[in-house]
Amino acid sequence: MSRTLPDLSLYLVLGAADTGKRPFEEVVLAAIEGGVTMVQLRDKQATTRVLLEHALRLKALLEPRGVPLIVNDRIDVALAAGAAGVHLGQDDMPPALARRLVGADMLIGLSVSDRVEADTADPETVDYIGIGSVFPTGTKADAGTAIGPAFAAELRQLVDLPSVAIGGLNASNAGQLRGSGIEGLAVVSAICAAADPAQAARELRQTYFG
Amino acid sequence: MSRTLPDLSLYLVLGAADTGKRPFEEVVLAAIEGGVTMVQLRDKQATTRVLLEHALRLKALLEPRGVPLIVNDRIDVALAAGAAGVHLGQDDMPPALARRLVGADMLIGLSVSDRVEADTADPETVDYIGIGSVFPTGTKADAGTAIGPAFAAELRQLVDLPSVAIGGLNASNAGQLRGSGIEGLAVVSAICAAADPAQAARELRQTYFG
């Protein structure tokens, strides 16, 4: 495989609406300062044109800082923006088909929330998995019931791929995942809604990686 | 250019919800029997996975009958399904970027509703235009104000590309476009909501092409 595995340790997921009145650039820059290693653009409401504009703005911000940009669901937008990869939910393009569209160089992430979905995560096609929702979350309407940290750890052991935990994670509960083997934390509001996104990122790292 | 210009004369646009309780295959087959020459899958609500499944089902139906399948907005789904083309609105991917993603063989249609949009329809990139909404329509939430048949005819003259009229067209009003130079009629409910879609298609052809 011609792709480099990314640093999944702190993975910020956001759409323009998640940063409220602050421009998303401001939040993203602070988050990177605080230790975010990867950014995913996720916006199911935006038109294709707006999503593409946001992807291009994020890429301009991230590329000079060596932080990969991942686009949720939209392979067309990921390709048009020259993103580092796509993240696929179970309602998105099946990973094998996605791989044919994106070629060998782009990263593919896959969300898994149960054993059946974990079984479909083929390491030949998929580069990393997102395990969740670990805790209840308000930022994803279709996130389903929270699976809890113990089951998240179990899912991690079923898949031979690096992983991030996602769903309702914050500096108070992320410690419950220590020892799970899960490689990184993915968050939306723990950083986007924080008064100080850089400090929030630092605290998340401290809680999980010590 | 390595693409063949399609027969635009009667262009059916639909998503799964547009055919109500009838399976969309039933409506599409009857519509083709009645003279539909092109089909566009347009569904802004469906998940990517469902949209792809519908695109594949439509393609299986259309391909043996020589009817091109066009996917609205979603270049990723069009590519994955092996569709004949994509149709782009003004809020979708800009056509020049879309052309880079789809290559030289896939058709690109572009919606235009005013002179500025008509000016952006570059014949090097775009294969046909959709002019509208000609009449008020209930099937497209973001369709904007109806432009009327006289202005539709004016837009047709501004662009050196084949065209379809779209928006609220039916067998009672399509005759108002005769003499406009517009090559075809695009409809949703005039066929999808008709008790007899084949007959509805025949009447549309008769009204416009005589």
Side-chain angles (χ1 to χ4, degrees):
Chain A
M1 135 165 112
S2 47
R3 334 180 258 290
T4 311
L5 282 181
D7 177 352
L8 294 166
S9 56
L10 190 53
Y11 188 162
L12 175 63
V13 178
L14 87 169
D18 294 312
T19 59
K21 289 179 183 168
R22 292 182 291 193
F24 64 79
E25 281 94 340
E26 182 185 319
V27 173
V28 168
L29 283 178
I32 292 171
E33 189 199 315
V36 156
T37 56
M38 226 164 141
V39 174
Q40 178 186 133
L41 175 61
R42 181 176 79 187
D43 190 337
K44 297 279 191 185
Q45 305 308 318
T47 64
T48 299
R49 189 155 307 186
V50 167
L51 191 66
L52 176 60
E53 284 168 8
H54 290 176
L56 291 169
R57 278 164 57 186
L58 274 175
K59 197 196 170 202
L61 208 66
L62 299 176
E63 199 162 58
R65 292 166 176 86
V67 175
L69 169 66
I70 307 292
V71 177
N72 184 282
D73 179 15
R74 297 295 300 268
I75 293 167
D76 47 357
V77 173
L79 288 169
V86 289
H87 186 91
L88 303 172
Q90 296 287 327
D91 290 331
D92 299 337
M93 188 87 68
L97 253 177
R99 178 56 71 199
R100 280 167 42 194
L101 298 187
V102 303
D105 294 337
M106 218 181 255
L107 296 165
I108 293 182
L110 179 69
S111 297
V112 306
S113 65
D114 61 30
R115 291 187 186 88
V116 174
E117 293 173 2
D119 272 344
T120 69
D122 177 4
E124 294 289 310
T125 308
V126 173
D127 298 296
Y128 74 90
I129 56 169
I131 300 175
S133 292
V134 178
F135 298 107
T137 170
T139 54
K140 192 162 184 285
D142 59 345
T145 313
I147 62 173
F151 189 62
E154 202 179 316
L155 289 180
R156 172 65 192 89
Q157 301 312 312
L158 294 179
V159 182
D160 189 22
L161 281 169
S163 64
V164 289
I166 187 164
L169 295 171
N170 55 49
S172 306
N173 62 22
Q176 296 178 47
L177 285 164
R178 285 178 82 143
S180 66
I182 292 171
E183 284 79 354
L185 306 176
V187 300
V188 185
S189 54
I191 288 178
C192 287
D196 183 341
Q199 181 58 20
R202 273 180 222 109
E203 284 174 15
L204 281 159
R205 295 196 71 92
Q206 179 61 30
T207 304
Y208 193 58
F209 300 104
Chain B
M1 142 164 106
S2 48
R3 337 180 257 290
T4 311
L5 282 182
D7 178 351
L8 294 167
S9 56
L10 190 53
Y11 188 161
L12 175 63
V13 178
L14 86 170
D18 293 312
T19 60
K21 288 179 183 169
R22 294 182 291 193
F24 63 80
E25 280 94 340
E26 183 186 317
V27 173
V28 169
L29 282 179
I32 292 171
E33 190 199 314
V36 157
T37 56
M38 225 164 143
V39 175
Q40 178 186 132
L41 175 61
R42 181 177 80 188
D43 191 337
K44 297 279 191 186
Q45 306 308 317
T47 64
T48 300
R49 190 157 305 188
V50 167
L51 191 67
L52 176 61
E53 284 167 10
H54 290 176
L56 291 168
R57 278 163 57 186
L58 274 176
K59 197 196 170 200
L61 208 67
L62 298 177
E63 199 161 58
R65 292 168 176 84
V67 175
L69 170 66
I70 307 293
V71 176
N72 184 282
D73 180 14
R74 297 296 299 267
I75 293 168
D76 47 356
V77 173
L79 288 169
V86 288
H87 186 91
L88 304 173
Q90 297 287 327
D91 290 331
D92 300 337
M93 187 88 68
L97 253 178
R99 177 57 71 201
R100 280 166 43 193
L101 298 187
V102 302
D105 294 338
M106 217 181 258
L107 297 165
I108 294 182
L110 179 68
S111 298
V112 305
S113 65
D114 61 31
R115 291 188 187 88
V116 174
E117 292 172 4
D119 272 344
T120 69
D122 177 4
E124 295 289 310
T125 308
V126 173
D127 297 297
Y128 74 89
I129 56 168
I131 300 174
S133 293
V134 178
F135 298 108
T137 172
T139 54
K140 192 161 185 288
D142 59 345
T145 313
I147 62 172
F151 190 61
E154 202 178 317
L155 289 180
R156 172 65 192 88
Q157 300 313 311
L158 294 179
V159 183
D160 189 23
L161 280 169
S163 64
V164 290
I166 187 163
L169 295 171
N170 56 49
S172 306
N173 62 22
Q176 296 177 47
L177 285 164
R178 286 179 80 146
S180 66
I182 292 171
E183 284 79 355
L185 306 176
V187 300
V188 185
S189 54
I191 289 179
C192 287
D196 184 342
Q199 181 58 22
R202 274 182 223 108
E203 285 173 14
L204 282 159
R205 295 196 71 93
Q206 178 61 30
T207 303
Y208 193 58
F209 300 104

